Structures are given as C-alpha cells and as structure tokens.
Amino acid sequence: MEWQPDEQGLQQVLQLLKDSQSPNTVTQRAVQQKLEQLNQFPDFNNYLIFVLTRLKTEDEPTRSLSGLILKNNVKAHYLNFPTTVADFIKQECLNNIGDPSPLIRATIGILITTISSKGELQTWPELLPQLCNLLNSEDYNTCEGSFGALQKICEDSSELLDSDALNRPLNIMIPKFLQFFKHCSPKIRSHAIACVNQFIIGRAQALMDNIDTFIESLFALAADEDSEVRKNVCRALVMLLEVRIDRLIPHMHSIIQYMLQRTQDPDENVALEACEFWLTLAEQPVCKEMLSGHLVQLTPILVNGMKYSEIDIILLKGDVEEDEAVPDSDQDIKPRFHKSRTVTLQHEGGGEEEGEDHDDDDDDDDDDDTLSDWNLRKCSAAALDVLANVFRDDLLPHLLPLLKGLLFHPDWVIKESGILVLGAIAEGCMQGMVPYLPELIPHLVQCLCDKKALVRSIACWTLSRYAHWVVSQPPDSYLKPLMTELLKRILDGNKRVQEAACSAFATLEEEACTELVPYLSFILDTLVFAFGKYQHKNLLILYDAIGTLADSVGHHLNQPEYIQKLMPPLIAKWNELKDEDKDLFPLLECLSSVATALQSGFLPYCEPVYQRCVTLVQKTLAQAMMYSQHPDQYEAPDKDFMIVALDLLSGLAEGLGAHVEQLVARSNIMTLLFQCMQDTMPEVRQSSFALLGDLTKACFLHVKPCTAEFMPILGLNLNPEFISVCNNATWAIGEISMQMGAEMQPYVGMVLPHLVEIINRPNTPKTLLENTGRQTCSMYAVQPGTCTYKKMKLIAFLVLSSRAAITIGRLGYVCPQEVAPQLQQFIRPWCTSLRNIRDNEEKDSAFRGICVMIGVNPAGVVQDFIFFCDAVASWVNPKDDLRDMFYKILHGFKDQVGEENWQQFSEQFPPLLKERLSACYGV
C-alpha cells in the first residue's frame, strides 16, 4: 500500500517550512533544532517529498524549500534511508518531473541528480531509460523537466556515463540528444546542446562516433534567435577547438566569421563565450595561419570589448573618488595563500628562476578586483594579450590607428580602455612599441593625476607592464618622474588607486633593483606614511611592496637611518597581531625579506621574532597531532602559519648568518624541524628543507648531530613529482655535503641514484623550450591556462636538473671515490644543465667536484668530452685555481689523443666554443 501522511504531522512540517522562511534569527535557530529532531524519524523525508510533489495547493517557494531540505538530507544521510523511503522518493521524482511549475521541476531535477551522485546511478537502473523516454512526451513540461534533470546528471556524472560500469548509456543518449537540436522550443534546444557539451573535453567515444553530425547540428543553430542556444553553440565550438580542431579546420573561415559576430552579440553572456574562442585559438599551432587575414576585423572588436560597461562602473563605484577612510569589509579581502620558500638559482639572461613558484599575480592584478567574475572586459583583454604574444609586432598596424584615438579621448571610459589596451599588448608587442614609448610613457605618467580614480588605477598597471623599458633608460628621463608620481599615488585618497600603485611599485622595484638606492629615503618615507593611512586590504599589499623593496636593494637597506624609519611600524604591527591572525602571513613574508636584506642590522629585533616563529611551528604541530588522534574533537590546523614561520626562520638564518647560532642553541628548532620534514603536506616539507639548508650554512654545529636522522628523510624526498620539495631537498643535501666533507661517505648511496635519475629524466621537446618566456594573463584572472602552466612546469624542471647537477658535483667533490665510478651515467646531462648557470659559489664547488671525479675516472668523460668543453666555456671568470684545473684536464686530453686527433675532434666545435677555448685555455 502506498505511503500516506498523517494530517497532523503534515501540518507540523508545513508550519516548519513557513517558519524557516522567517528573517528572524531566533526562529531560524528553532527551525534548525526542530529539523535535527525530525531527522530522527525516517519517514520525515516522505513528508518532504510529499509537500514537494503532491501539495499543489501550497505556494511554490514552500514546496521548493521542502525539496531543498530533502536534498540536504539526501546529501548527509541517504545511505541510512530505509529502502521503502528511498524508493518512494525516487518514484515521486520520476512521476512529477513534468510539474507545471518551472521552479518545482528544477527542484526535482536537483533532487534526482543528488540521489544519483550518492552512487545511485548504478542501483537506479530505470532512471536514465525513463528520463530519455520522457523526452518524447507531447507535454512540454515533462520534456523540459526530464531534460533539466538529464543536464544536471550529465554535468555531475560525465565520466561515469562514459564508462562500462553503466553499460555505456551514452551510446543511446548522445544520438537522442542530437535529435533535439531541431526542437521547436529554444529551452529544449539549449538543454540538448548543454548535455552534449559535457562530453567534449573528455572525448567520450559515443560523441566522437557522432562528431560530424554534432558539428553540422551546431552550424544549423548558428543563427538561432535564442541567446541561451547561441551561448551553448559558442561554448561547444570553443571546446571542440581544443579537442577536435581537425574537424573544424575545413570550416575555420566560416567559424571565425561567426565568432566575430557573436563576440559583438547584444547579450554579454553570448559575447563572453564567443570571446573565449580567441583565447583558445591563440594556443593552437594553426592560430597565425588561420587568423592573420581576420586581424583587421578582430582587433577593433576586442578593443571595444575592453571598455567598462555601465553596470561595471556602478559596481566599482566609479564615481567615488575618495574612500580611503571607509573601512574594508571582510569580503573585500581575498584569502591569501602563502607560497612556500623555494631555493633559487641564477640563470643566464634573467633574474632568479623559482621553478613553478613564480607568482605573476602580484604585478599583473587587474584594476577591477571587485569584478572578480570573468567578464567580457577581462576576456577581451586576455585575448588581446595572448594574440599579441602570437602575432608580435604584426598586430600593431591594426592597433596603433585605434590607440591614438582612445588614449587622448575626452570620454574617460574610452580613454581608460585605451590605457588597458596599451598594457595588454606590452609583452607581445614590446619591440614594436619602443619607438612610441618616449611619447607614451610621459602621457601615462600624466594619466596618474587624472581626476578619475579608475583612470589613475589602470595607468598604474599599464606603466608597470613597461617598467623593464623604463629602467633601461637613463634614470632622470623616465624612472625618476614615474617613481615620484607612483609614490604620490600610493598615498592617493582612493583605495583602488592605492592598491594599483602599490602593486605597480612592487613591479618597478623588481625591475629597478639597486637603481632605487639613491631614492631609498624618499621611498621609505612614503611607504611608512602609508602604514598610518591604509585600510586592512591595502595594508597587506603594502607589506608586499616593502618585502619586494628589501629583496631588490638587499644590503643597501642596512643603514641606521633606513632601519629607524622602517622597523618601528613593522614591529608595532607584529606585536599587534595575534598568533591565529592570518594577517601574519604577509607580515611574516615581508619580515623574511627585510631580515635577509638587513643582515646584522636586524639583530636588535631578531630574538622576539625568532621565538614567535618557533612557537607558531610548535603550536601548529601540536594541533596537527591532536587532530590526527581525535579528528572528531579537534579542527585541522591551518598549516600556512607553520610554513610562513619556517620561511621567516630561513630569512633570519640567511640574513643573520652565524649570529643565529645562539638563538638556535636556546630553542628546540632541530626537533621541530625533524617533525616538519616528515609532514604530509608538501609545502611544509618544502619550507623545512629550505630552513635546513640555511641552518647548515649558518650554524652547522647544530645540524651535524642530526645528520644521521635527516639524510634518509632527504633521500625519500628526491621525488620530482613534487618539484619544489625535491628542489629544496636536493639543495639541502648539497649544503650538508660541503660541510660534512669526507664524512658524507655513508650517505652517498642513499641519495646519488635518485639525483642521477633526476638529471637523466627525458628532456622536454625543444619547441616548448623555445617558448618559456614569462607569459602573463593572470591580470585578467584567466582560467588556469594550460599553456602558461606548462611553461612554468618546464622552467621548474630545468631548475631542478641544474640543482641536482650542482649537488652531484658537490658530493663528488667531498666523496670522489664513491661518485666518480658513475661519471659516465650523468656527465652529459650534468654539463648541459650547468652551462646556463651564472658564475657563482655553487657552480664553483660543483665544477671542482667534476674535475676531481675526472681525475679519479678519466675514462668516464671520454665519450662526452665535447659537452665538458662546452660547460667549461660557459664560465666567464672562474677563480685562478679552478681555471688551472680546467687547463690541466683540457691539455691532458689533448696530449693523450695527439695533435692530429685533437684537430679532428675540435672541428666539431661550434665557432664560438672553439674561439673561447683557444683564447682562455690555449687549446
């Protein structure tokens, strides 16, 4: 017999549903308690589905709310539902999927997909066939309700639907969905495309079998009058461009023409989907060939899309010029994620490479953070940026005529978009823009004083994109005026401008480095004054600007006058913040940079800072221990506190050097470090190994007694899957080797095989290597882009190979008898990894090691001697005794093979290498 509600119980549930819509918090709390009590009765869920599906006399919000409460119960307790209750709910859902109310249909659809996500797709075999059959219903509501439910199931369970577990229902579903592309209702057409779209990226076999029909059906809908249909067509074409470009290429001219129209669609959601097409096309090898002839049409469309809309300006309070006194609300402040410390290497032709931990966000944050939603302006700007990287200066003939009109336009909205355009093309078209910069940079500096805050803020960002060029010119020409004006903007009355100016100044600091030393007093006065002026959010960005300044000018900051300006406000903030306050993250990062730069100048402040860091690590470890033992009683700790503290301790050890020894002696940091090195979270281990390396350099007497315990852990972390952890562990092993000397011998066997494996990992294709320029789209908040991500991964891998090579060289230097026999296994990749590293102490010790190993095992280098010659030639200025070592090996080899053979051998050398070896070593 079918379940029927008790009338009194039903009235009680209805009253509860009415009460739950009350704005009164006391009533809400009472409802919550009552719900928890009623959940003890299994058939309470029958009442909820009954209200949703049968009580047509009730108002729709109450019925829908009943369904949403049931959905939450399904999420939390479904596996405990009695079979009779679960079956009743499922049957009611299917019987009422065609409810006349769109709200009720949508709620039932959500309920069905929630039940199916609890593993029920396998145990509810009639669900998919029944929903597919209901699509044939003459009743519009039934067809639409079934499609709505199917769309949600396709979104939530796309992989499962394409698996053997369900007997591959897509073989029936995909052809069925395709039939509905021609349906007379736009809502049904839209559902049908949205369902199929879920299976493009995963390349579902059933879709690939019907790919031509799918594409033809999409083309047939290209001019659909419904905006939702057009949006889904655009979305499909963008995804197909990524996974089946081969099928689109024959039609590419027509598709591009279509997308040019849709990027100007009156419905901004359609325009945004279409605009994604240009971003995706830019990552395809055929982009240049396919798009060259269309740039003349595309460029003005993208530029036009970069204007703020009226809604944007209202949301951004574009008419508010002064708001510095308005406190920030909590939602103004985005959560910060600390990036663990990664030990860096100096590469040729650029600054430090930090592998995957490069953070482009800081210098490329867009001016409209509050519009964090991806919108047409951001997408158009990102598309122009990536296309500028593809077409380089070929883009400029289409852009420059437009730019002049924009940059000097009397309407501030148009002028602002022109400044954004100029910033977006900065990286890709830099070479072609250089002739115009002497005129443009002063104009942009002038725009920093514009009466509109949104113009001032975008001018900050665009100028930061040209900072590299500014710094390459005589300082009085552009650097000094830009710096003066940016510092004024740091003290602007508008919070958005303060933020943009602070971020831009941090970029300028990175580019200018020691060029800023003559102006340090003026810079510090401004930054310190901002401490008293800034609200919460911008204060966090100010810490970053101060930390970057310290990184950029280094020891030049260690002057009593500067220390006196900078340290009191920083320490005041430090004392103000509680241990559990997340504002400690940026402050600790900042102090880490300051401590490293000030060196002995930080001594008066080091003890309380050191102690607090140790306490933070200790507290976090204790909380983690309690949580692992009693997860039901304790919350998991936020390990970022520990990571930031470890990084600041590294900064102290690096800055204070031997002065840190007494602090280490009076603390239990080595015991804590032993625990941190074994933490389950990779970022904790990464920071631990960085600290271990810094302590090894600063006060090895405290590290040495722990070596036997630490080395096996370091060996276990030589896993390139976690590149930054592996990088830091490798570095720490190298530093320990240099301190241990011959006593390192027992540990060679546990680390050398891993290091040799890392250095021999198959290299990345040359084409990717050629494209490792720093590409930045994060300013526009681009969805995690595959292309840039691959580049960062590649750079990280190259850094790791160089790091492994240095550590192998150092191990060979202190234990040549143990390492030299394996020379042949690593000499070639060793040489190629280190030829691009600048002359420095690490490279020096590594090359001494390789020379000693060649002395022990000369046969190990014979086959790859040309690579050794090339690596030697990479030295600009080796120390005299190292030069002698090179000289002896080169001449020894030449004498061994004889003059004639040497001549033949050296004929293989590229001309530059031949010339260099002859000039420096006489061979």
Side-chain angles (χ1 to χ4, degrees):
M1 202 176 89
E2 191 185 58
W3 179 87
Q4 288 295 327
D6 167 68
E7 189 53 40
Q8 195 184 346
L10 186 59
Q11 291 309 317
Q12 200 181 346
V13 170
L14 283 170
Q15 189 54 51
L16 189 68
L17 292 167
K18 297 267 191 285
D19 290 347
S20 69
Q21 294 170 64
S22 157
N24 184 312
T25 48
V26 179
T27 311
Q28 286 283 358
R29 208 169 296 129
V31 166
Q32 209 48 48
Q33 285 173 345
K34 190 73 178 157
L35 279 174
E36 282 168 25
Q37 287 167 17
L38 288 170
N39 268 325
Q40 308 304 312
F41 302 99
D43 71 344
F44 171 53
N45 294 301
N46 285 1
Y47 281 91
L48 292 172
I49 190 72
F50 189 88
V51 173
L52 173 65
T53 58
R54 303 274 187 101
L55 283 194
K56 316 271 179 177
T57 51
E58 276 300 324
D59 62 278
E60 288 180 12
T62 300
R63 290 173 63 199
S64 175
L65 181 62
S66 183
L68 294 174
I69 290 171
L70 177 54
K71 179 210 69 168
N72 290 337
N73 286 352
V74 166
K75 254 185 163 168
H77 313 293
Y78 186 74
L79 299 176
N80 301 327
F81 282 18
T83 311
T84 50
V85 173
D87 288 347
F88 181 63
I89 292 168
K90 291 195 287 194
Q91 199 50 53
E92 283 298 298
C93 284
L94 285 173
N95 289 347
N96 293 277
I97 193 73
D99 192 282
S101 155
L103 176 63
I104 301 304
R105 291 200 299 274
T107 308
I108 292 172
I110 291 168
L111 190 51
I112 288 174
T113 193
T114 308
I115 293 169
S116 63
S117 71
K118 303 302 286 186
E120 282 292 299
L121 269 180
Q122 288 99 318
T123 53
W124 192 359
E126 68 273 22
L127 173 65
L128 293 173
Q130 214 165 326
L131 286 174
C132 284
N133 282 338
L134 290 170
L135 296 180
N136 301 325
S137 170
E138 294 292 310
D139 175 48
Y140 167 79
N141 292 337
T142 303
C143 179
E144 195 279 325
S146 304
F147 242 133
L150 280 166
Q151 185 179 331
K152 293 181 183 81
I153 291 169
C154 291
E155 285 167 9
D156 291 351
S157 309
S158 58
E159 282 182 28
L160 187 56
L161 290 170
D162 190 32
S163 70
D164 289 327
L166 294 179
N167 214 1
R168 301 203 171 267
L170 287 189
N171 293 338
I172 296 160
M173 289 164 70
I174 297 274
K176 181 101 181 164
F177 294 153
L178 290 171
Q179 291 169 15
F180 284 86
F181 277 38
K182 297 186 176 74
H183 196 277
C184 59
S185 156
K187 182 89 182 180
I188 302 292
R189 294 198 296 276
S190 181
H191 275 315
I193 309 167
C195 283
V196 180
N197 282 359
Q198 296 305 319
F199 304 100
I200 299 175
I201 295 297
R203 300 170 194 259
Q205 192 53 52
L207 177 56
M208 295 302 120
D209 293 344
N210 290 278
I211 195 75
D212 293 328
T213 314
F214 176 44
I215 291 170
E216 281 166 32
S217 307
L218 287 172
F219 289 167
L221 291 172
D224 200 284
E225 78 280 0
D226 183 78
S227 60
E228 200 61 28
V229 172
R230 294 197 304 273
K231 184 177 94 173
N232 281 326
V233 169
C234 290
R235 184 174 291 172
L237 290 170
V238 170
M239 290 190 281
L240 286 167
L241 191 60
E242 218 168 297
V243 298
R244 289 307 303 263
I245 193 168
D246 58 313
R247 282 294 194 267
L248 298 187
I249 281 176
H251 316 282
M252 195 58 92
H253 177 76
S254 313
I255 294 171
I256 286 172
Q257 287 302 326
Y258 174 66
M259 286 299 189
L260 286 167
Q261 282 179 312
R262 291 287 70 83
T263 309
Q264 303 170 83
D265 199 283
D267 184 313
E268 188 177 320
N269 292 319
V270 178
L272 176 57
E273 286 296 339
C275 196
E276 294 276 359
F277 181 83
W278 315 115
L279 266 179
T280 307
L281 184 58
E283 290 193 350
Q284 304 301 323
V286 298
C287 176
K288 210 163 185 174
E289 179 194 340
M290 293 291 172
L291 207 50
S292 289
H294 302 278
L295 284 180
V296 66
Q297 293 163 280
L298 176 60
T299 309
I301 293 172
L302 290 179
V303 166
N304 194 46
M306 289 164 73
K307 291 202 298 275
Y308 277 127
S309 67
E310 287 177 27
I311 297 288
D312 292 343
I313 294 167
I314 292 163
L315 288 173
L316 288 166
K317 305 186 180 79
D319 53 342
V320 176
E321 291 307 316
E322 289 220 5
D323 61 355
E324 64 175 349
V326 181
D328 294 328
S329 64
D330 285 346
Q331 59 262 42
D332 287 339
I333 297 151
K334 287 192 281 192
R336 284 184 62 99
F337 300 101
H338 172 69
K339 291 216 165 191
S340 306
R341 190 178 177 93
T342 305
V343 183
T344 55
L345 268 176
Q346 291 282 324
H347 274 249
E348 288 297 348
E352 294 180 345
E353 299 282 22
E354 291 200 16
E356 79 206 308
D357 292 300
H358 257 318
D359 184 7
D360 286 348
D361 292 359
D362 293 344
D363 53 341
D364 294 313
D365 269 345
D366 192 3
D367 54 314
D368 46 355
D369 267 351
T370 35
L371 295 185
S372 53
D373 293 343
W374 189 231
N375 59 21
L376 185 61
R377 167 186 164 90
K378 291 182 177 187
C379 192
S380 303
L384 190 64
D385 184 330
V386 292
L387 290 171
N389 275 288
V390 172
F391 288 97
R392 302 284 167 184
D393 297 342
D394 295 345
L395 191 64
L396 290 178
H398 308 291
L399 204 54
L400 288 173
L402 300 171
L403 253 179
K404 199 151 180 92
L406 297 172
L407 288 169
F408 298 92
H409 202 281
D411 180 343
W412 74 265
V413 175
I414 296 172
K415 176 178 171 180
E416 192 277 347
S417 72
I419 299 171
L420 174 58
V421 169
L422 198 54
I425 61 167
E427 187 186 335
C429 304
M430 179 60 85
Q431 228 174 334
M433 287 306 296
V434 165
Y436 306 98
L437 293 180
E439 184 189 344
L440 282 175
I441 296 297
H443 175 65
L444 288 171
V445 170
Q446 234 176 325
C447 291
L448 290 173
C449 309
D450 195 276
K451 63 178 191 298
K452 279 289 176 192
L454 289 172
V455 173
R456 299 199 296 279
S457 65
I458 199 66
C460 290
W461 178 77
T462 293
L463 280 161
S464 76
R465 301 271 283 175
Y466 290 95
H468 186 77
W469 181 83
V470 166
V471 169
S472 69
Q473 305 302 304
D476 285 349
S477 309
Y478 307 102
L479 176 61
K480 208 169 166 185
L482 170 57
M483 187 183 62
T484 309
E485 216 44 61
L486 264 185
L487 288 170
K488 285 184 194 166
R489 292 292 67 79
I490 284 175
L491 303 179
D492 197 277
N494 180 277
K495 290 194 286 189
R496 183 178 311 287
V497 179
Q498 293 172 359
E499 178 184 359
C502 244
S503 296
F505 197 73
T507 305
L508 188 64
E509 289 168 343
E510 285 176 337
E511 292 290 352
C513 293
T514 50
E515 295 278 334
L516 297 178
V517 171
Y519 317 108
L520 267 176
S521 187
F522 180 37
I523 293 168
L524 287 170
D525 284 341
T526 305
L527 297 180
V528 168
F529 189 77
F531 260 110
K533 188 179 174 74
Y534 277 12
Q535 296 295 337
H536 188 182
K537 179 187 175 188
N538 286 350
L539 203 51
L540 308 184
I541 295 158
L542 181 63
Y543 294 146
D544 183 57
I546 291 170
T548 308
L549 179 69
D551 292 337
S552 302
V553 300
H555 66 90
H556 296 284
L557 202 56
N558 187 7
Q559 297 292 333
E561 175 204 351
Y562 303 150
I563 295 170
Q564 198 43 50
K565 285 178 196 274
L566 183 59
M567 287 311 296
L570 282 177
I571 294 297
K573 288 288 176 195
W574 165 264
N575 291 331
E576 208 176 282
L577 294 175
K578 295 186 169 65
D579 279 356
E580 50 283 352
D581 192 327
K582 291 195 175 180
D583 285 3
L584 269 178
F585 297 169
L587 180 55
L588 284 161
E589 286 175 34
C590 169
L591 279 171
S592 178
S593 296
V594 170
T596 307
L598 290 186
Q599 298 172 349
S600 59
F602 198 80
L603 272 173
Y605 310 96
C606 67
E607 189 145 359
V609 172
Y610 179 90
Q611 292 304 345
R612 188 169 188 185
C613 287
V614 172
T615 305
L616 281 170
V617 173
Q618 201 158 338
K619 268 189 183 176
T620 313
L621 286 171
Q623 285 170 337
M625 175 78 76
M626 289 190 291
Y627 173 71
S628 68
Q629 290 170 355
H630 308 284
D632 47 336
Q633 293 174 32
Y634 295 97
E635 279 188 24
D638 183 342
K639 289 187 180 177
D640 271 0
F641 284 104
M642 175 156 73
I643 295 166
V644 181
L646 290 166
D647 288 349
L648 178 44
L649 289 170
S650 277
L652 287 173
E654 192 181 337
L656 299 176
H659 294 293
V660 85
E661 188 275 320
Q662 289 182 336
L663 296 170
V664 174
R666 293 200 297 270
S667 71
N668 62 339
I669 190 62
M670 300 314 295
T671 312
L672 298 175
L673 195 52
F674 181 63
Q675 290 174 257
C676 293
M677 286 164 58
Q678 297 172 82
D679 197 272
T680 52
M681 189 174 178
E683 292 82 0
V684 175
R685 301 200 302 277
Q686 180 181 328
S687 292
S688 307
F689 298 139
L691 176 56
L692 176 61
D694 282 318
L695 290 175
T696 298
K697 290 173 79 171
C699 53
F700 186 63
L701 73 135
H702 294 295
V703 175
K704 191 173 182 183
C706 312
T707 310
E709 285 179 309
F710 285 3
M711 285 308 299
I713 300 170
L714 287 163
L716 284 174
N717 281 276
L718 296 178
N719 173 7
E721 290 306 305
F722 300 101
I723 288 190
S724 297
V725 178
C726 186
N727 178 72
N728 288 5
T730 305
W731 175 69
I733 292 165
E735 291 299 337
I736 290 169
S737 303
M738 294 307 288
Q739 299 285 346
M740 289 281 279
E743 291 177 66
M744 193 68 187
Q745 187 258 325
Y747 309 111
V748 172
M750 66 176 71
V751 297
L752 184 62
H754 299 297
L755 295 169
V756 171
E757 194 182 330
I758 289 167
I759 205 173
N760 276 296
R761 271 171 70 117
N763 227 335
T764 314
K766 184 78 176 83
T767 49
L768 234 173
L769 279 175
E770 286 160 355
N771 289 319
T772 52
R774 246 177 99 175
Q775 180 177 330
T776 304
C777 278
S778 59
M779 157 281 158
Y780 323 101
V782 175
Q783 279 61 340
T786 50
C787 166
T788 307
Y789 180 71
K790 282 177 198 157
K791 290 174 186 177
M792 297 328 301
K793 276 289 184 201
L794 172 66
I795 292 171
F797 178 69
L798 295 176
V799 172
L800 178 58
S801 295
S802 307
R803 173 65 62 208
I806 285 172
T807 297
I808 290 171
R810 290 177 145 195
L811 278 170
Y813 183 57
V814 296
C815 300
Q817 299 299 334
E818 284 71 27
V819 184
Q822 298 192 48
L823 198 53
Q824 205 167 341
Q825 291 180 36
F826 60 76
I827 185 68
R828 181 185 288 200
W830 190 96
C831 292
T832 49
S833 287
L834 292 187
R835 68 183 303 283
N836 296 318
I837 302 292
R838 294 181 193 170
D839 295 7
N840 62 31
E841 288 301 321
E842 290 187 334
K843 184 173 175 177
D844 179 279
S845 56
F847 270 83
R848 286 174 194 276
I850 214 79
C851 290
V852 174
M853 286 187 273
I854 290 170
V856 172
N857 178 18
V861 76
V862 170
Q863 278 183 305
D864 298 304
F865 198 70
I866 186 168
F867 290 93
F868 176 73
C869 295
D870 180 52
V872 166
S874 74
W875 276 89
V876 178
N877 197 12
K879 290 179 183 170
D880 289 346
D881 58 337
L882 181 59
R883 189 190 296 271
D884 289 346
M885 291 167 101
F886 293 157
Y887 185 91
K888 282 175 186 156
I889 291 170
L890 291 168
H891 279 271
F893 188 85
K894 184 180 175 181
D895 295 347
Q896 191 77 35
V897 299
E899 187 66 41
E900 194 179 325
N901 285 335
W902 176 262
Q903 283 308 321
Q904 278 182 330
F905 173 67
S906 61
E907 283 306 314
Q908 307 167 53
F909 291 177
L912 200 64
L913 173 59
K914 202 170 181 179
E915 198 181 299
R916 203 166 169 82
L917 290 177
S918 171
C920 298
Y921 301 99
V923 288

